[in-house]
């Protein structure tokens, strides 16, 4: 450890004065101008001492060097689409937001290598818009529009993970600025598919929530866009049937199974209640749950084949009692049934949201246990489930009637959440499938992560960020 | 840092005495019995102080605890199929081999989750043999038969990486024993596809060559076995044409392009010369190179479709002058043409092997530059290329005539290698695509890895292995 890192904190003001000298005019915001940068999609909000808007890796490096020297705290921020408050400063007004939004160049694009190097502030939608004419895309499919750096910091998954994988699987390289006294730049952006020349350092930063270093650019392993696809909506008697149907879909379609989203019947009912413009594709079925299934391939001209095979599969699943009814449909008409769900539930009460991941084989048993537990302990609350059944990701919402809000204070809510996560752990699951760790679930990280893993994460953070300069969530 | 780690080394003998008490009879080998454990497939060999054969994670933990206390050096070892000497003790006779070969249980297998937890010593072939009746496999396709732990330590890629990815992409979890004073066990084996509950610690150990911790088990994201496939062999005028043909294959077949291996014409000629049992599939063509192309899908019943589409594609490529001739064939007849190549070349001279990875778009220019350089600087040597063109991985062999062996001493060889790797770096490539870093290329790691990355790797190793107890290659 060197002297600079052990020097007493010279403070935020000294840091901001230096930061102002490092940035062009207008790239350091104070006061009112900070407002848009103080909240994310989780509803979590805070108070920024300032917002820094560097437009180059060199500027990020200079800012990190200064923040380490002055012991100032920076919270890296991308598109503010996060759901755990990981990019939002705390309420102290002593943390500065380091927004990457001005770093949005597509530095390199190599269609023959199917790769692109994009800066951290480039929104996913913009990246894909620029790739579309070449028949390529980064196939991370989420409802929001994160920026590249946030995608990496959260290791975003989404609805097509079954076929395309998460961010980690689609990433070839990273550029990262370290929180050391040099603001060292790790240039690991070489777009190589095979590269085993030592410890793969970039992996450390994927999913770390900006706490181990500042991601300034990423190289992507682009995929060819789907050229054939089929979407269908099925009514199933129960979740166990969904599991068997999922297995059958994989046996018949292999890697072409692109999404297998399951929606509990009560969740679909709520969506249709709140959004009368949406139509029930299978009105009248006495289903326990519904599955939104997508088959797709980048091979052109398979639409008819997919339809023919899907019909045969559905006939066989129907004969086995695994499917009650099914409808083929256009993706843009069926996906809103799934995507409108969180909004619909929020309109019906106060949603307590859980983003859990389990071995998918254990999802039915876990969900049944969660329903039993909630009915016994919190009979006024109702549990709704929807999400990425095919990959074991499940979004659970326990809906608290508004009139009971007063009787559910912070302590009671924390106990409820903790009990549900305990049930998740007992079924071999994770308390955070997709959203990551931030202030909103820091307590659950402490509770449900093994001691050896917590210890190692803390030591890694201290190694990489000895001055505690970075990130909202602390592992140490 | 605690006192135990700073204590003076009490030595190898004290460690071995304690190790003997920790292991069952027959699980600590000395002398002659160590011979089979002293070499790997690279030809690298050393001298083991002893071979330790633990059969449980608890035993590995106890051994690591003891090795840290006594400051003894352990070299973790799997199937000895490595090509850089990473699992072989040095020549000092002071390092003990920690073989995982007795840990070979399939701890869990969950067909509905498509996952399995296998111990480190289980050979890949054995794992796949047990999965076959369920229509599942771990689709890592290499010529050798590594054990699970070695697969992870090397982040093995292979010939079907284009479609199935490397080890990292197929891994869901790890169990790792740390080289700390507790022999801490990190149990990160939960077979979850979505799990973003903090820093993904297991990533650190993938591809680290056993230098950061001992891998004792791994959870796998199994895939459904290919149910449809087509293999073909094409003659192309030159490597630039191979690049255009690769792009066309991806446009026509998307994710079904399973392998695209390119073999330079001189390399194929050598194979056919050395193995008269092999037949030239396209005798008479004046090709600059050949491509072994495989399309495959886990969707059954697509063989005829693949053939029909491939014929159409070949017709179009032929019309564009990108393909001279092509033959469809059975995989088991065509792959030996590619797989026999290293043996064939070894029969014709002294092979100097290079395992490089590049952006695939730059492979033709790199190979041309390498040929030019060798012709100018070492006119007696000839360059042969073959390998994983589709993913940018390329195996180069510079063949040294046996009669010149005496004029190529270690220093001259090192300079030759270094110059070729320098050319690789200048074309944006990596000096080790697949084989990893071990004693055989430690010098090139020092030379061709950025200072910031080397520094961080060294600090990580000191954090995770402060007593320098583990691994053959040191990053610090």
């Amino acid at each position: 450890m060197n002297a600079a890192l052990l020097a007493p904190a010279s403070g935020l003001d000294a840091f901001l004065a230096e930061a102002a000298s490092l940035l062009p005019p207008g790239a350091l915001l104070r006061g009112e101008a900070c407002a848009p940068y103080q909240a994310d999609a989780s509803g979590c909000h805070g108070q920024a001492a300032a917002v820094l808007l560097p437009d180059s890796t060199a500027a990020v490096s200079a800012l990190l060097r200064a923040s380490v020297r002055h012991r100032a705290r920076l919270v890296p921020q991308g598109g503010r689409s996060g759901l755990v408050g990981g990019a939002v400063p705390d309420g102290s007004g002593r943390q500065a937001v380091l927004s990457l939004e001005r770093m949005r160049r597509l530095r390199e694009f190599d269609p023959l290598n199917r790769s692109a190097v994009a800066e951290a502030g480039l929104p996913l939608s913009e990246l894909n818009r620029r790739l579309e004419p070449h028949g390529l895309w980064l196939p991370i499919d989420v409802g929001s529009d994160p920026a590249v750096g946030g995608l990496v910091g959260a290791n975003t998954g989404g609805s097509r993970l079954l076929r395309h994988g998460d961010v980690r699987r689609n990433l070839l390289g990273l550029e990262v600025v370290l929180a050391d006294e040099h603001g060292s730049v790790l240039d690991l952006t070489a777009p190589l598919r095979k590269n085993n020349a030592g410890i793969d350092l970039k992996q450390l930063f994927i999913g770390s929530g900006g706490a181990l270093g500042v991601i300034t650019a990423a190289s992507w392993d682009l995929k060819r866009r789907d050229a054939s696809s089929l979407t269908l909506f099925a009514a199933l008697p129960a979740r166990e049937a969904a599991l068997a149907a999922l297995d059958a879909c994989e046996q018949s379609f292999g890697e072409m199974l692109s999404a297998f989203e399951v929606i509990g019947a009560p969740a679909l009912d709520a969506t249709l209640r709140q959004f009368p413009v949406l139509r029930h594709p299978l009105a009248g079925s006495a289903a326990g749950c519904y599955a939104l299934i997508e088959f797709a391939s980048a091979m052109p001209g398979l639409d008819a084949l997919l339809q023919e095979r899907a019909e045969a599969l559905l006939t066989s699943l129907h004969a086995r009692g695994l499917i009650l009814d099914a409808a083929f449909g256009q993706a843009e008409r069926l996906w809103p049934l799934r995507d409108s769900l969180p909004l619909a539930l929020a309109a019906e009460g106060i949603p307590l949201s859980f983003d859990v991941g389990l071995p998918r084989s254990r999802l039915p048993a876990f969900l049944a246990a969660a329903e039993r537990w909630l009915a016994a302990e919190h009979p006024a609350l109702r549990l709704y489930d929807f999400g990425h059944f095919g990959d074991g990701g499940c979004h659970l919402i326990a809906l608290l009637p508004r009139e009971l809000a007063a009787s559910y204070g912070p302590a009671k809510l924390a106990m409820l959440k903790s009990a549900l996560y305990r049930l998740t752990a007992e079924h071999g699951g994770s308390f955070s499938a997709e959203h990551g760790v931030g202030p909103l679930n820091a307590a659950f990280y402490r509770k449900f992560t093994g001691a050896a893993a917590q210890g190692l994460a803390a030591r890694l953070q201290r190694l990489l960020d000895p001055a505690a300069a970075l990130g909202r969530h602390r592992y140490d």
Side-chain angles (χ1 to χ4, degrees), chain A:
Chain A
M1 196 119 335
N2 64 70
L5 298 184
L6 292 173
S10 47
L12 180 64
D13 293 340
F15 166 70
L16 291 178
E18 183 169 346
S21 76
L22 294 169
L23 291 168
L28 192 157
L29 312 180
R30 304 291 306 252
E32 285 293 295
C34 297
Y37 300 86
Q38 296 178 158
D40 69 6
S42 70
C44 188
H45 56 92
Q47 184 72 36
V51 175
L52 313 173
L53 298 161
D55 63 1
S56 70
T57 301
V60 173
S61 170
L63 289 171
L64 258 68
R65 219 156 45 220
S67 73
V68 165
R69 199 166 54 247
H70 297 295
R71 311 296 294 263
R73 286 291 302 279
L74 300 180
V75 179
Q77 187 179 88
R80 294 188 296 278
S81 57
L83 290 169
V84 292
V88 176
D90 67 17
S92 69
R94 305 287 299 162
Q95 300 182 334
V97 167
L98 178 68
S99 166
L100 282 301
E101 70 179 20
R102 293 197 182 175
M103 289 187 64
R104 50 199 302 147
R105 286 186 309 141
L106 189 58
R107 287 189 195 165
E108 285 177 37
F109 169 50
D110 181 348
L112 281 179
N113 194 43
R114 276 198 286 104
S115 65
V117 182
E119 288 187 340
L122 191 70
L124 173 60
S125 61
E126 173 70 10
L127 175 61
N128 275 331
R129 198 185 60 71
R130 294 182 62 175
L131 298 173
E132 189 165 11
H134 304 273
L136 298 170
W137 67 334
L138 173 59
I140 300 294
D141 175 63
V142 282
S144 59
D145 189 17
V148 158
L151 274 174
V152 177
N155 187 32
T156 301
S159 295
R160 268 96 173 179
L161 180 135
L162 203 50
R163 184 159 125 80
H164 295 296
D166 55 12
V167 158
R168 194 183 302 276
R169 287 204 189 182
N170 291 280
L171 193 93
L172 295 174
L174 280 183
E175 181 184 80
V176 182
V177 183
L178 299 180
D180 60 23
E181 70 275 28
H182 311 294
S184 300
V185 178
L186 279 181
D187 180 358
L188 309 168
T189 51
L192 304 176
R193 288 181 175 76
K194 277 184 174 154
N195 184 13
N196 284 296
I199 298 168
D200 192 353
L201 300 169
K202 66 178 177 286
Q203 302 298 334
L204 261 175
F205 304 95
I206 306 170
S208 72
L212 300 186
V214 176
I215 292 151
T216 45
S219 309
W220 299 102
D221 182 5
L222 306 174
K223 299 223 171 113
R224 298 208 175 261
R225 298 183 77 90
D226 288 339
S228 305
S229 70
L230 180 78
T231 311
L232 66 94
F233 198 83
L236 304 104
R239 294 185 197 108
E240 288 75 12
L243 196 53
L246 167 64
D247 194 55
C249 283
E250 288 191 341
Q251 288 199 34
S252 296
F253 288 86
E255 71 284 350
M256 284 189 233
L257 178 62
S258 178
F260 194 99
E261 303 274 310
V262 167
I263 307 170
L268 184 67
D269 291 347
T271 305
L272 296 169
R273 207 156 45 227
Q274 293 296 329
F275 294 100
V277 67
L278 298 175
R279 294 287 172 77
H280 197 312
L282 303 166
S285 70
C289 63
Y290 297 88
L292 177 58
I293 306 171
E294 189 179 274
F295 304 113
S297 174
M299 189 180 205
L302 298 186
D303 288 346
L305 174 79
L306 292 175
Q307 171 98 23
E308 173 198 309
R309 293 288 180 95
E311 282 169 10
L313 175 63
L314 289 172
T315 302
S316 131
L317 290 174
H318 190 266
R320 290 165 64 193
L322 294 174
I323 273 192
L324 304 174
D325 199 0
F328 295 99
Q330 291 169 302
E332 57 274 25
R333 297 185 63 134
L334 292 176
W335 278 91
L337 292 166
R338 153 75 182 78
D339 294 336
S340 309
L341 225 146
L343 270 180
L345 291 174
E348 300 215 331
I350 300 168
L352 312 176
S353 296
F354 301 86
D355 156 46
V356 297
L358 290 104
R360 61 191 198 181
S361 50
R362 300 183 74 177
L363 270 174
F366 162 73
L367 290 168
E371 281 168 344
R372 278 196 307 273
W373 178 81
L374 203 74
E377 301 294 327
H378 299 272
L381 274 64
R382 178 129 193 217
L383 202 64
Y384 297 85
D385 65 290
F386 61 100
H388 319 303
F389 200 92
D391 59 46
C394 183
H395 299 295
L396 279 182
I397 291 183
L399 210 59
L400 174 65
R402 278 184 221 293
E403 61 274 20
L404 294 183
S407 65
Y408 274 79
K412 192 169 177 181
L413 284 177
M415 279 177 62
L416 186 161
K417 288 191 174 183
S418 205
L420 246 169
Y421 287 137
R422 163 105 24 229
L423 213 52
T424 308
E426 285 167 7
H427 285 79
S430 161
F431 71 90
S432 184
E434 301 193 276
H435 299 171
V437 179
L440 291 194
N441 55 14
F444 309 118
Y445 172 78
R446 298 278 166 238
K447 208 160 192 164
F448 296 107
T449 306
Q454 282 197 45
L456 180 53
R459 282 181 286 143
L460 283 170
Q461 189 174 34
R462 285 195 292 269
L463 179 78
L464 280 152
D465 182 15
L470 279 186
R472 179 61 198 280
H473 176 75
R474 303 296 304 170
Y475 293 92
D476 59 4

